């Protein structure tokens, strides 16, 4: 073979095949392997014909790629991937586990806040809230000596902590289930942490707003919201960094 007919090392054709490989890596392995092999064979054959007609190697490869079409055109399945339902099971369970565990941690934080600054800080009512005499009697029964509002705060504080911690325990059980679920059909890399980051960011924004609203009206019940925001925001940042790390190979320039 003459020198001008030899393929280019790391030329346009190789870069095209590298990009195609990355685009196909989450597809079904047999189909992706066949498409990659057929594409390479076609491009190299077309490039060889063009070189035989007098083109220089790089121009021949570029023309072969132009005739073959862009990656998006030769892999239409990537635009509407057909994933089995089992592909969503493990990520969904993992996201549910993370959310439930986060709620459990916020419950433990609410317990700490209540011990430091009182039940009213965690579960006190906003100004203007009132209870009927019958409801006050229910709240005051376990807390003799406390007025209705303070007894209600003690009651609600216990509910906040207990329900959240119970959900956290459920999250740990879901995490155990997630640990043993098969990984045979993963979703695109970075999708699950991106969804988790978005969910925790929205939770942090919503609970942070409620905490600020309670603080402006006397801090009653601010602790319950603040504990949720204090857990959600760091998790949003952590999952966001994980998502960026997994998406970086795709975002990097060729």
């Amino acid at each position: 073979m003459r020198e001008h007919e030899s393929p280019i090392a790391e030329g346009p054709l190789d870069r095209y095949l590298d990009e195609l490989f990355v685009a196909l890596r989450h597809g079904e392995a047999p189909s992706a392997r066949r498409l990659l092999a057929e594409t390479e064979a076609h491009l190299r054959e077309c490039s060889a014909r063009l070189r035989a007609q007098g083109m220089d190697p790089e121009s021949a490869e570029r023309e072969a790629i132009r005739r073959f079409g862009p990656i998006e055109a030769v892999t239409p399945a990537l635009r509407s991937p057909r994933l089995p339902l089992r592909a969503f099971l493990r990520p969904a369970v993992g996201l549910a586990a993370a959310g439930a565990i986060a709620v459990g941690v916020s419950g433990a934080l609410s317990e700490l806040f209540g011990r430091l600054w009182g039940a009213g800080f965690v579960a006190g009512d906003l100004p203007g809230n009132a209870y009927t005499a019958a409801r006050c009697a229910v709240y005051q029964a376990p807390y003799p000596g406390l007025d209705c509002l303070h007894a209600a705060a003690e009651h609600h504080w216990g509910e906040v902590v207990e329900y959240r911690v119970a959900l956290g325990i459920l999250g740990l059980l879901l995490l155990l289930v997630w640990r043993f679920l098969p990984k045979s059909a993963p979703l695109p890399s970075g999708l699950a942490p991106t969804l988790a980051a978005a969910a925790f960011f929205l939770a942090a924004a919503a609970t942070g707003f409620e905490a600020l609203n309670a603080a402006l009206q006397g801090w009653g019940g601010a602790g319950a919201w603040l504990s949720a925001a204090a857990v959600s925001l760091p998790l949003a940042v952590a999952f966001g960094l994980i998502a960026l790390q997994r998406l970086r190979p795709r975002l990097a320039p060729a």
Side-chain angles (χ1 to χ4, degrees):
M1 179 180 294
R2 294 191 300 273
E3 182 178 352
H4 71 277
E5 293 181 346
S6 60
I8 305 170
E10 296 299 326
L13 197 153
D14 289 311
R15 289 194 295 270
Y16 182 93
L17 292 172
D18 290 342
E19 292 176 11
L20 180 60
F21 173 79
V22 172
L24 292 172
R25 62 180 176 176
H26 294 297
E28 295 183 359
S31 300
R33 187 174 61 251
R34 284 194 297 269
L35 179 57
L36 188 63
E38 291 170 2
T39 300
E40 181 173 11
H42 176 85
L43 288 174
R44 295 200 184 281
E45 180 183 354
C46 182
S47 176
R49 287 200 307 267
L50 293 171
R51 290 199 307 272
Q53 295 171 12
M55 277 192 178
D56 63 87
E58 183 170 355
S59 298
E61 291 190 2
R62 292 186 183 280
E63 178 62 17
I65 292 170
R66 188 193 67 79
R67 294 182 182 183
F68 192 71
I71 289 175
E72 292 79 7
V74 300
T75 57
L78 293 177
R79 295 196 296 269
S80 56
R82 293 175 296 175
L83 292 171
L85 289 179
R86 69 177 182 276
F88 297 91
L89 178 60
R90 193 170 193 270
V93 172
L95 291 175
I101 292 172
V103 172
V105 174
S106 76
L109 199 55
S110 294
E111 173 72 14
L112 177 62
F113 285 171
R115 292 186 179 277
L116 290 176
W117 297 299
F121 176 70
V122 177
D125 293 305
L126 294 177
N129 192 38
Y131 298 100
T132 64
R135 194 63 180 167
C136 281
V138 173
Y139 287 147
Q140 289 176 295
Y143 307 104
L146 293 182
D147 60 36
C148 184
L149 290 180
H150 285 88
E154 291 285 347
H155 175 83
H156 295 150
W157 175 37
E159 287 185 335
V160 168
V161 173
E162 291 168 7
Y163 292 161
R164 291 188 184 186
V165 170
L167 196 56
I169 294 173
L170 176 61
L172 292 174
L173 295 175
L174 287 174
L175 185 63
L176 183 63
V177 172
W178 172 86
R179 175 66 180 80
F180 291 101
L181 287 174
K183 306 177 185 179
S184 57
L187 292 175
S189 178
L191 178 59
T194 298
L195 293 176
F200 281 118
F201 178 79
L202 291 175
T207 54
F209 175 81
E210 292 292 346
L212 178 61
N213 179 55
L216 293 175
Q217 299 187 60
W219 292 99
W225 300 112
L226 187 60
S227 64
V231 175
S232 299
L233 185 57
L235 287 174
V237 174
F239 278 108
L241 291 175
I242 293 172
L244 286 176
Q245 184 179 22
R246 294 187 180 179
L247 292 171
R248 188 175 297 149
R250 290 188 168 193
L251 300 177

